[in-house]
Amino acid sequence: MPQATALPHWAALQSHHDTVGKSFVLKEEFKKDPKRFEKFSYTFNNTADNSEILFDFSKNFLTDETLKILVEIAKEAGLEQLRDAMFKGEKINFTEDRAVLHVALRNITSEPIYVDGKDVMPGVNKELKHMEEFSEAIRSGEWKGYTGKPLTTIINIGIGGSDLGPVMVTEALKYYGDRKQTLHFVSNIDGTHMAEALRDSDPETTLFLVASKTFTTAETTTNAHSAKDWFLKKTDGKGDIAKHFVALSTNEAEVKKFGIDPKNMFGFESWVGGRYSVWSAIGLSVAIHIGFKRFHEFLSGAHAMDMHFRNTPLEKNIPVIAGLLSVYYSDMFGAQTHLVSPFDQYLHRFPAYLQQLSMESNGKSVSRDNQMVRYTTGPVLFGEPATNAQHSFYQLLHQGTKLIPTDFILAAESHNPIDNNKHQKMLASNFFAQAEALMVGKGEEQLKAEGTPEALMKHKTFLGNRPTTSILAQKITPGTLGALIVYYEHLTFTEGAVWNINSFDQWGVELGKSLAKKILAELDEPGNPQGHDSSTGGLIAAFKAKAKLA
Ligand code: F6P
């Protein structure tokens, strides 16, 4: 595949941008075409729970022609072939020689998927069964701790994909969660994270889930060892590791070495990338919290979006359109960021989750054929739930100098319709108002009519014409959440396919890790280390002088 800029329709997109895109005035487009909303909004029918999710792309810089050119670019970039190769289990993560098969984890039909000639589905289903049995045993109290008590405190120890997915999903689906359970997610190597989780935990009733694909991640293994030491110390050595520690991993040898019996290990395969692993055994905390039936609904919603992505023509394919818009904004308009703001408190960790998904996948600058790319790739994804975010950084969206393509997400039905839905109506009114305000802005005429003093005129002007995508779901159910996550997965996939980068490796995290290992050893040596630049060396020396290292 060539560089994106060498695709036959790239020049057409460039000239379309120069002639149409640059001077595009969103609000005028709505005046010209009263059916714009109908034309550019798409309904996703979620077979998981018979609900719908409405994706409104009409407040984007989009015309029939834009879409046509973008779809041509996707075809020329081989998006369909790459997608089909992923679903077929081909090793599209070529820098690690791996298939990319998180889609198999939610393949609820069990249609065979082959890797190296072997159907992976029996293995996937076996692990799901194990997760079902275990999660139900914990929830019912049938699984007991070493003194015979049910385990009601769950501490997941993991980082990156082995943390962000479980945290985000358990928070998002908290409404369905077992309120007798106390959940902690310990990820940071900062001892404070573990100390705070252990502070009020009772070893007799605590279950540790050590979640690590590789089981070699420094933070996780160190945290897990500290947890084990705490457990053994608190139980005077009588605590039974087998009853209180399980591992979620691909690395049986390391799990055994740590002291966890492989029968208490929930496995998955190397073709599950960390940032796509919440659908695997890494999602065990989710199954324990909301129950396996609901975990299965979560997988079903994901599968429904997979099928949409796999089978829908590109011009109607919801994540494909979103991914192509992102390419258009990044490479033609110079947009550097992508904001996701859920109008939903349960989704408060969703942007953090999406950060890893998007930025670890598409933060790349070398093409799949080994060239430095000649264009901008993955945007900086950020976000916070609204309406809180409105009172912090939305100022910059409305009046700053940057173009920030924005997604707003709302569920029509609240799980907590308190005060006769008063809160929900206020929340929804802000969801509509923000997208409208970002588009229409506020000009001189209106300001004058409001009697704005001349000196404040420019300060109170809103230029508008800021693009937004509004996503309106019915309710944040497990099935809806599954579909929403997968929408972003395939959006990211589409971007990566067009940019011709490998969205599935993450070599960029290695350098910092290896330097940290070297410096860690230096911290234990007497004197100050040599060979660093003067800033790094000076900082290490200052730290050594100040820290009370035992
Ligand atoms: O350092 C990045 C990373 O490899 C992520 O891709 C991954 O999700 C995380 O570390 C944790 O890895 P593991 O599950 O192997 O501990």
Side-chain angles (χ1 to χ4, degrees), residues 96 157-164 211-221 248-250 268 273-277 282 356 360 504-506 508-510 513:
E96 296 181 311
I157 303 173
I159 197 163
S162 301
D163 168 72
L164 288 163
S212 175
K213 176 178 169 177
T214 55
F215 228 77
T216 55
T217 301
E219 290 91 334
T220 301
T221 51
L248 324 175
S249 187
T250 59
F268 52 106
R275 51 196 174 276
Y276 308 96
S277 61
I282 294 291
Q356 187 196 17
E360 204 174 61
F504 305 105
D505 60 13
Q506 56 284 317
V509 299
E510 298 301 328
K513 280 189 200 174

Side-chain angles (χ1 to χ4, degrees), residues 94 112 267 271 366 407 447 513 520:
F94 64 94
W271 41 252
V366 175
D407 297 351
L447 287 165
K513 280 189 200 174
L520 178 63

Side-chain angles (χ1 to χ4, degrees), residues 11 70 117 120 144 163 218 281 307 327 341 366 394 434 439 480 537 547:
L70 287 170
V120 302
K144 295 190 170 38
D163 168 72
M307 291 303 99
V327 171
S341 241
V366 175
Y394 276 27
Q434 287 297 330
M439 175 173 75
T480 296

Side-chain angles (χ1 to χ4, degrees), residues 210-331:
V210 186
S212 175
K213 176 178 169 177
T214 55
F215 228 77
T216 55
T217 301
E219 290 91 334
T220 301
T221 51
T222 306
N223 277 328
H225 277 290
S226 300
K228 191 172 147 190
D229 291 349
W230 172 88
F231 178 75
L232 292 175
K233 194 162 159 223
K234 285 270 177 184
T235 59
D236 292 326
K238 289 189 220 97
D240 186 351
I241 296 285
K243 292 196 164 120
H244 293 264
F245 281 77
V246 303
L248 324 175
S249 187
T250 59
N251 190 344
E252 189 173 319
E254 285 299 323
V255 167
K256 268 195 209 153
K257 229 192 263 172
F258 178 83
I260 294 178
D261 190 330
K263 72 174 190 304
N264 291 335
M265 171 176 164
F266 297 79
F268 52 106
E269 298 292 332
S270 63
W271 41 252
V272 180
R275 51 196 174 276
Y276 308 96
S277 61
V278 69
W279 321 100
S280 72
I282 294 291
L284 187 61
S285 55
V286 178
I288 291 173
H289 198 45
I290 65 172
F292 189 80
K293 191 174 152 281
R294 293 215 159 93
F295 184 73
H296 194 268
E297 281 167 31
F298 174 60
L299 300 183
S300 306
H303 178 71
M305 187 58 88
D306 281 336
M307 291 303 99
H308 171 87
F309 177 57
R310 190 179 189 179
N311 300 323
T312 311
L314 299 188
E315 57 279 7
K316 294 195 179 122
N317 198 309
I318 297 168
V320 168
I321 295 170
L324 292 174
L325 275 170
S326 170
V327 171
Y328 187 42
Y329 291 133
S330 293
D331 294 308

Side-chain angles (χ1 to χ4, degrees), residues 38 76 121 181 196 304 362 380 396 503:
E38 283 86 339
E76 289 163 0
M121 289 316 299
Q181 295 172 353
E196 287 296 336
N362 288 342
V380 175
L396 189 146
S503 302

Side-chain angles (χ1 to χ4, degrees), residues 374-390:
R374 292 194 285 270
Y375 36 87
T376 297
T377 59
V380 175
L381 192 148
F382 72 110
E384 273 294 316
T387 56
N388 300 29
Q390 290 173 209

Side-chain angles (χ1 to χ4, degrees), residues 326-343:
S326 170
V327 171
Y328 187 42
Y329 291 133
S330 293
D331 294 308
M332 299 293 150
F333 293 87
Q336 295 286 339
T337 57
H338 176 182
L339 167 63
V340 180
S341 241
F343 282 69

